[in-house]
Amino acid sequence: MGSTATGPELAASHDDEEAAPLVSAAGDGRRGAGTASQTRDLHLLSLAFFFVFLAYHAAQNLQSTVNTEGDLGTVSMGVLYTSFTLFAVAASPVVRWLGASRALVIGTSGYLLFILANLVPTWYTMVPASLYLGFTASIIWVGQGTYLTSAALSHARDNSLPDGPTLGSFNGEFWGVFASTQVIGNLISLALLRNGKDGGSITGKNLLFVVFLGCMIIGIVLMCLLSKRDEKRDNASTHSSFGAMLKYIVAPLKDRRMILLIPLIAYSGLQQAFVWAVFTKSIVTPVLGISGVGGAMAIYGASDVVCSLVAGRFTSGLHSATFIVSVGAIVQAVVLFWLLLFYSPVEGLLGAAIPLFIGALWGVGDGVLNTQLSALLGLLFEDVKEAAFAQLKVWQSGAIAVIFFLSPSITLQAMLILMAASLVVSFGLFLLLTLVVEKPSSIRA
């Protein structure tokens, strides 16, 4: 475990130390072997998520524009994220019982079923698949946060490196690779649905989902190759009674740092769902058609990749995280207020370029939030990291579900007002968090 330190010690700037490299050249043979294992698992985890979410993200981006009969796609996504929210509440003890690596493998099954359901999209296939995916998504994401944090902290301690920069480096690589799914997956979507604004033929859509199915299988195989580095600490006491399990689940909610972080977590879900359900349908499709969704989301993903890698590289503690989050929040605020006050679709090359530019700017905020929230949770709540990452997914997925359910029934203007208000409130409370953590003995470094 890390030694107890004050907030300023955690938030040391890069003038004091550079972000830790993923592999240390120092150390004996045993230490080198441990380093190789930890970085190997980081690369495997990143690649496995790349193949699984390459398929899932591209499929998700198309739901509001392809499965339109009775709003099947949008309703299915709302059901999925509602299920995700409910199951995520209890995901932490499930992951502790299964072990993070086993939870990651089991979690992929829901994504596989969801892609299969899209080959025959009806209420009888999409809704049950979405419900099941909500369960498996809850355990795969709690497992991911737990596994990545464990690998990063083990790497830091084996090589006498500071926890903060090492967590930043590990999260930067993971989220950078993860964000690239939006680029590759949507370029595949663009290529196979390029025939006209109606999204191409039924054959093209089915071929697309068959390709996605193959990607899913590759991701599952890679997930099975991960090392068993699960921490089984205190499992007996955690699950000795329902009361003990409930106490573990809600432990982070007794910490005011989590209370102040929850609004930003929820906003991170809102801004993701805004891109998937509103940006693609109300801003991209009217100008570029369904076939243009893939291209716009590919540019969004490319921006996300770059910002994830940069944000991870420059993460050293709370002060650096505050600055990085501030940049992302300002960029997204500019986009929201410009859309709210000045935007209207225009013809020609300029009109086609505007949605692409908006996607690139929005990716900045998403890359920043993904890396910084994951790194901060790993630092702030190391002793209850499964429960902390469960809270991350509870509030993120709940916010995502809200957007998917609201988007068919409210105007773009109303949605933009909701997003802007949420950003202002959540960012203000995050700044207050920096004052709380500054107090002595409030955080592990």
Side-chain angles (χ1 to χ4, degrees):
M1 303 295 293
S3 59
T4 302
T6 63
E9 290 174 323
L10 170 69
S13 70
H14 282 287
D15 293 334
D16 300 322
E17 60 186 18
E18 291 294 327
L22 293 184
V23 181
S24 173
D28 57 21
R30 180 179 56 80
R31 177 174 295 177
T35 295
S37 173
Q38 291 145 10
T39 53
R40 168 191 173 275
D41 286 335
L42 169 63
H43 303 328
L44 274 177
L45 182 68
S46 300
L47 281 175
F49 270 73
F50 169 79
F51 281 104
V52 170
F53 284 89
L54 175 157
Y56 173 70
H57 277 159
Q60 177 179 252
N61 294 338
L62 291 168
Q63 292 304 308
S64 63
T65 50
V66 172
N67 295 325
T68 56
E69 187 175 350
D71 288 321
L72 173 61
T74 304
V75 171
S76 294
M77 297 310 297
V79 169
L80 190 164
Y81 282 101
T82 300
S83 172
F84 191 172
T85 303
L86 296 175
F87 282 114
V89 172
S92 55
V94 174
V95 172
R96 284 179 74 89
W97 175 65
L98 288 172
S101 58
R102 190 175 294 112
L104 287 167
V105 174
I106 294 173
T108 57
S109 63
Y111 294 93
L112 185 70
L113 183 62
F114 183 78
I115 295 298
L116 286 171
N118 270 275
L119 288 169
V120 189
T122 70
W123 291 98
Y124 301 104
T125 58
M126 292 294 294
V127 172
S130 297
L131 282 170
Y132 179 65
L133 178 53
F135 164 68
T136 58
S138 70
I139 63 173
I140 199 175
W141 278 111
V142 174
Q144 178 274 331
T146 302
Y147 193 92
L148 186 63
T149 298
S150 176
L153 294 178
S154 295
H155 178 84
R157 288 159 194 177
D158 286 351
N159 295 278
S160 301
L161 299 171
D163 289 355
T166 307
L167 271 166
S169 294
F170 271 58
N171 275 287
E173 176 175 330
F174 174 84
W175 289 108
V177 173
F178 181 81
S180 68
T181 62
Q182 290 284 7
V183 181
I184 308 301
N186 286 295
L187 287 176
I188 294 172
S189 173
L190 177 64
L192 295 179
L193 299 179
R194 65 184 182 277
N195 297 321
K197 288 197 171 186
D198 64 346
S201 65
I202 296 298
T203 301
K205 294 174 186 176
N206 287 341
L207 176 60
L208 178 65
F209 284 102
V210 169
V211 171
F212 288 162
L213 193 61
C215 293
M216 284 280 178
I217 293 171
I218 295 173
I220 293 171
V221 171
L222 290 172
M223 209 79 80
C224 292
L225 299 177
L226 289 169
S227 302
K228 304 295 190 292
R229 59 171 62 255
D230 309 319
E231 297 181 18
K232 298 286 188 177
R233 302 168 302 166
D234 304 323
N235 273 2
S237 61
T238 300
H239 303 288
S240 59
S241 68
F242 176 78
M245 182 179 73
L246 185 62
K247 183 178 179 180
Y248 179 78
I249 292 171
V250 302
L253 292 176
K254 296 180 180 180
D255 192 322
R256 59 182 174 176
R257 297 171 302 175
M258 178 62 82
I259 299 301
L260 291 172
L261 200 55
I262 281 174
L264 190 64
I265 290 172
Y267 175 76
S268 73
L270 291 176
Q271 62 89 28
Q272 288 178 358
F274 176 81
V275 170
W276 302 332
V278 180
F279 172 68
T280 55
K281 184 177 182 179
S282 300
I283 297 175
V284 177
T285 303
V287 176
L288 301 176
I290 293 176
S291 59
V293 170
M297 294 303 291
I299 291 176
Y300 161 78
S303 172
D304 206 330
V305 170
V306 173
C307 290
S308 295
L309 293 171
V310 172
R313 175 67 180 83
F314 286 99
T315 301
S316 62
L318 186 63
H319 284 173
S320 63
T322 302
F323 174 76
I324 294 168
V325 169
S326 298
V327 171
I330 290 170
V331 170
Q332 289 200 344
V334 169
V335 172
L336 287 170
F337 284 106
W338 182 75
L339 286 173
L340 185 62
L341 300 175
F342 304 109
Y343 176 73
S344 61
V346 296
E347 298 292 334
L349 184 61
L350 178 62
I354 288 175
L356 305 181
F357 183 62
I358 292 172
L361 290 178
W362 202 260
V364 173
D366 188 61
V368 161
L369 288 171
N370 282 332
T371 55
Q372 300 310 297
L373 286 174
S374 295
L376 284 174
L377 287 175
L379 287 169
L380 291 165
F381 304 99
E382 181 187 343
D383 291 335
V384 287
K385 57 181 175 291
E386 294 94 345
F389 282 103
Q391 290 296 329
L392 172 68
K393 291 305 168 182
V394 166
W395 296 100
Q396 269 189 344
S397 56
I400 291 170
V402 167
I403 296 297
F404 275 114
F405 281 126
L406 281 179
S407 61
S409 56
I410 69 172
T411 65
L412 176 61
Q413 294 291 98
M415 183 67 73
L416 292 169
I417 292 171
L418 170 65
M419 293 294 300
S422 301
L423 175 56
V424 170
V425 171
S426 61
F427 181 62
L429 291 175
F430 176 72
L431 293 179
L432 181 59
L433 170 68
T434 65
L435 301 178
V436 172
V437 176
E438 286 286 318
K439 294 183 178 180
S441 303
S442 62
I443 187 171
R444 289 190 179 276

